Amino acid sequence: MNLGPVEIIIILLIIILLFGAKKLPELARGLGRSASEFKKGLQEDLPEDESQSNDENK
């Protein structure tokens, strides 16, 4: 299922109608913040997992 430019424009127009033009920047900002927090959480968990696996091998 490939989306062409016309379909993407229609989807964007529907989103604008649902949320309004004022809310879109707020939604995008919140999505960006949550994505960065998720990436931080993944990076923080990796060293702990590696150290635990090294302790188990000893």
Side-chain angles (χ1 to χ4, degrees):
M1 183 171 117
N2 293 330
L3 292 176
V6 175
E7 289 87 2
I8 294 173
I9 291 172
I10 291 172
I11 292 171
L12 290 175
L13 287 175
I14 292 171
I15 291 173
I16 289 172
L17 287 174
L18 289 175
F19 295 108
K22 288 186 176 182
K23 281 284 191 183
L24 287 179
E26 294 174 16
L27 291 172
R29 192 174 303 118
L31 184 62
R33 286 180 183 159
S34 63
S36 65
E37 287 293 323
F38 180 73
K39 288 179 184 178
K40 281 183 191 178
L42 286 177
Q43 289 175 353
E44 289 175 359
D45 286 344
L46 287 178
E48 293 175 7
D49 292 340
E50 290 173 1
S51 66
Q52 288 176 357
S53 64
N54 286 340
D55 291 342
E56 291 173 357
N57 292 337
K58 290 182 181 179

